[in-house]
Amino acid sequence: MDLTDTPDDVRDPNEEPPDFTDWDAPEAVLKGGPIRERLLSVILQLRTPTKVADIADQADCDTETARDYLKWFTSMGMTREIPGRPVRYERNESYLQWRRIEQIREQYSETEIVEELTATMEELEAYRARFDADNPDEVSLVDETGESSVEELWDAVSEWKTLEERAELLDTARQNGHPSSGGARVDA
């Protein structure tokens, strides 16, 4: 039997095939759920200041509802309002960084944070040695191609950048202390 063959006993030959027209369109499935969650999802994806009407359109809700939620998100620190005509909103990167640090503190013990930071620092050193550079922005993919493909180098440089961000978050979580230590600093 070929891998693409369907075994005879999988489906009853008299059974009607499913009616795919009864299924919801993917767009409808993705836009379902509470408005607040849809708006939050849109906000987390914003890369530039965006008009309320555009945010409402992406979240599939009316503009006034979006405006009310955006004001609430701004009061919580999740977004920033850019005044003007029209008013625009952007996500607050410092809030998102703070949330990531808090999640690290909640999820890991002091020892685990230090261990993960140590392992991350070792990986960063390996990348610095591999590329003979202090940071990934100094790496020229054109100059480095030879024994590796451009895609492999791109992946390596991207991983290096991700590790730098992880090290920064872990180090901040370590410096600001862990809730279990009463907020005292955790030394590596």
Side-chain angles (χ1 to χ4, degrees), residues 10-23:
V10 168
R11 193 166 85 51
D12 180 1
N14 298 325
E15 179 182 358
E16 289 291 318
D19 182 7
F20 293 109
T21 59
D22 284 345
W23 292 7

Side-chain angles (χ1 to χ4, degrees), residues 26-161:
E27 298 82 26
V29 173
L30 293 175
K31 297 222 178 197
I35 292 173
R36 183 183 62 177
E37 289 178 18
R38 294 192 320 255
L39 282 164
L40 183 57
S41 178
V42 170
I43 288 167
L44 293 175
Q45 296 174 44
L46 293 180
R47 298 287 182 249
T48 58
T50 306
K51 296 186 302 185
V52 175
D54 293 340
I55 294 171
D57 186 46
Q58 291 178 44
D60 193 30
C61 70
D62 66 84
T63 305
E64 285 310 309
T65 301
R67 189 180 322 278
D68 290 343
Y69 273 108
L70 288 165
K71 286 181 181 180
W72 182 74
F73 287 142
T74 301
S75 72
M76 297 295 293
M78 299 165 75
T79 58
R80 287 193 180 110
E81 181 181 313
I82 311 296
R85 293 278 178 208
V87 171
R88 293 168 294 141
Y89 287 86
E90 65 183 358
R91 67 183 183 182
N92 183 351
E93 288 297 328
S94 58
Y95 172 83
L96 295 175
Q97 182 176 11
W98 170 79
R99 278 297 305 142
R100 289 183 198 117
I101 291 165
E102 288 302 310
Q103 288 171 339
I104 290 169
R105 289 186 190 139
E106 292 168 5
Q107 205 170 2
Y108 300 102
S109 69
E110 296 174 30
T111 304
E112 290 170 327
I113 291 172
V114 171
E115 288 171 355
E116 184 62 29
L117 178 58
T118 301
T120 302
M121 296 304 291
E122 289 169 2
E123 289 180 72
L124 286 171
E125 273 308 311
Y127 278 111
R128 287 183 189 109
R130 174 181 173 184
F131 291 104
D132 191 31
D134 290 330
N135 67 64
D137 294 331
E138 295 176 5
V139 176
S140 167
L141 296 179
V142 175
D143 294 342
E144 293 292 331
T145 55
E147 55 195 60
S148 299
S149 70
V150 173
E151 292 83 12
E152 291 170 334
L153 290 170
W154 179 261
D155 286 343
V157 170
S158 295
E159 175 66 19
W160 187 359
K161 288 181 179 183

